[in-house]
Amino acid sequence: MNNRNASDHEDPALTEARRLCEEAIRLDDSMSVAHSLLGQIALCELLQFSGKDSNETLDEMLTSSKKAAELDPQNPAAVLMVSSYYFFTGNFSQAAKYAEKSLELNPSSPDAYGRAAGAMIHVGEYEKPEEYLRKSVEINPIDPKLMDRKANYFFIYIGMQDYQKAYELIEEVIAELPNSGMYRGFKAA
């Protein structure tokens, strides 16, 4: 949706996307896609620390996503945004449940596989998330977010106490994303 860094704080394109979504909803409040896009915009704003209160942004993400799902129960993006809400509020079991529901609706979503894997890793599951991450990579092997998704393997290997594999994986991620302090921190850990 946008290519800005999490620390950019302001994104004119994201602001314009919000304005357009809100205008579309004002014209026709029954557009499920517009409500789910508004949830995705809220997620982007949350990740960019756009200045709004995080709890307010999370509430907006949930409200928009639930409205989208109410309007169209088959909207996988809406369900995935509900999963994202639960993930960012620390309810990883619920996040995994909604991500898997999103996968039922759209089994070709690398983001849904990634969200489900991340949530499951946080509750101590490692086998199924490994399968989900593999599928997310197979679906879109040239995704610009591929290395971020692959970095989740690090947590799987740490959880399985395979520290050598975790080290090798994080080395691969750092080779692809050498300016990412977060992944350098994982390696240092």
Side-chain angles (χ1 to χ4, degrees), residues 60-98:
E60 180 186 14
M61 183 180 4
L62 182 63
T63 301
S64 297
S65 302
K66 286 207 168 192
K67 174 75 173 183
E70 175 186 307
L71 291 168
D72 179 5
Q74 301 301 307
N75 181 339
V79 178
L80 185 57
M81 283 302 101
V82 173
S83 172
S84 296
Y85 166 82
Y86 284 117
F87 187 88
F88 283 98
T89 58
N91 189 337
F92 302 113
S93 297
Q94 281 293 91
K97 175 183 148 191
Y98 278 94

Side-chain angles (χ1 to χ4, degrees), residues 3 16-17 23 29 49-51 73 87 101-102 104 106 116 125 143-144 165 189:
N3 318 343
E16 179 65 3
E23 179 66 14
D29 190 48
F49 308 104
S50 67
F87 187 88
K101 171 75 171 154
S102 181
E104 289 172 18
N106 180 6
E125 293 181 42
D143 186 340
K165 269 188 172 177

Side-chain angles (χ1 to χ4, degrees), residues 123-141:
V123 295
E125 293 181 42
Y126 304 111
E127 288 181 29
K128 198 169 187 179
E130 188 172 22
E131 174 190 334
Y132 280 180
L133 288 173
R134 186 174 44 257
K135 284 181 182 179
S136 77
V137 171
E138 289 171 3
I139 290 169
N140 191 355

Side-chain angles (χ1 to χ4, degrees), residues 103-171:
L103 284 170
E104 289 172 18
L105 297 171
N106 180 6
S108 298
S109 171
D111 289 337
Y113 279 110
R115 174 65 67 229
M120 290 174 176
I121 290 165
H122 276 77
V123 295
E125 293 181 42
Y126 304 111
E127 288 181 29
K128 198 169 187 179
E130 188 172 22
E131 174 190 334
Y132 280 180
L133 288 173
R134 186 174 44 257
K135 284 181 182 179
S136 77
V137 171
E138 289 171 3
I139 290 169
N140 191 355
I142 60 170
D143 186 340
K145 298 182 288 186
L146 180 66
M147 282 298 135
D148 290 322
R149 199 170 292 120
K150 283 182 81 173
N152 280 318
Y153 279 112
F154 174 79
F155 298 107
I156 290 172
Y157 297 142
I158 291 291
M160 297 169 84
Q161 298 182 352
D162 190 338
Y163 304 116
Q164 184 61 38
K165 269 188 172 177
Y167 179 80
E168 290 166 5
L169 182 279
I170 210 64
E171 283 286 310

Side-chain angles (χ1 to χ4, degrees), residues 25-87:
I25 291 168
R26 188 186 65 72
L27 293 171
D28 183 356
D29 190 48
S30 68
M31 293 177 26
S32 174
V33 171
H35 285 281
S36 62
L37 285 173
L38 199 54
Q40 290 177 350
I41 290 167
L43 175 62
C44 292
E45 291 171 344
L46 181 72
L47 296 174
Q48 289 185 14
F49 308 104
S50 67
K52 286 182 8 182
D53 176 76
S54 295
N55 290 324
E56 181 182 317
T57 304
L58 284 165
D59 289 344
E60 180 186 14
M61 183 180 4
L62 182 63
T63 301
S64 297
S65 302
K66 286 207 168 192
K67 174 75 173 183
E70 175 186 307
L71 291 168
D72 179 5
Q74 301 301 307
N75 181 339
V79 178
L80 185 57
M81 283 302 101
V82 173
S83 172
S84 296
Y85 166 82
Y86 284 117
F87 187 88

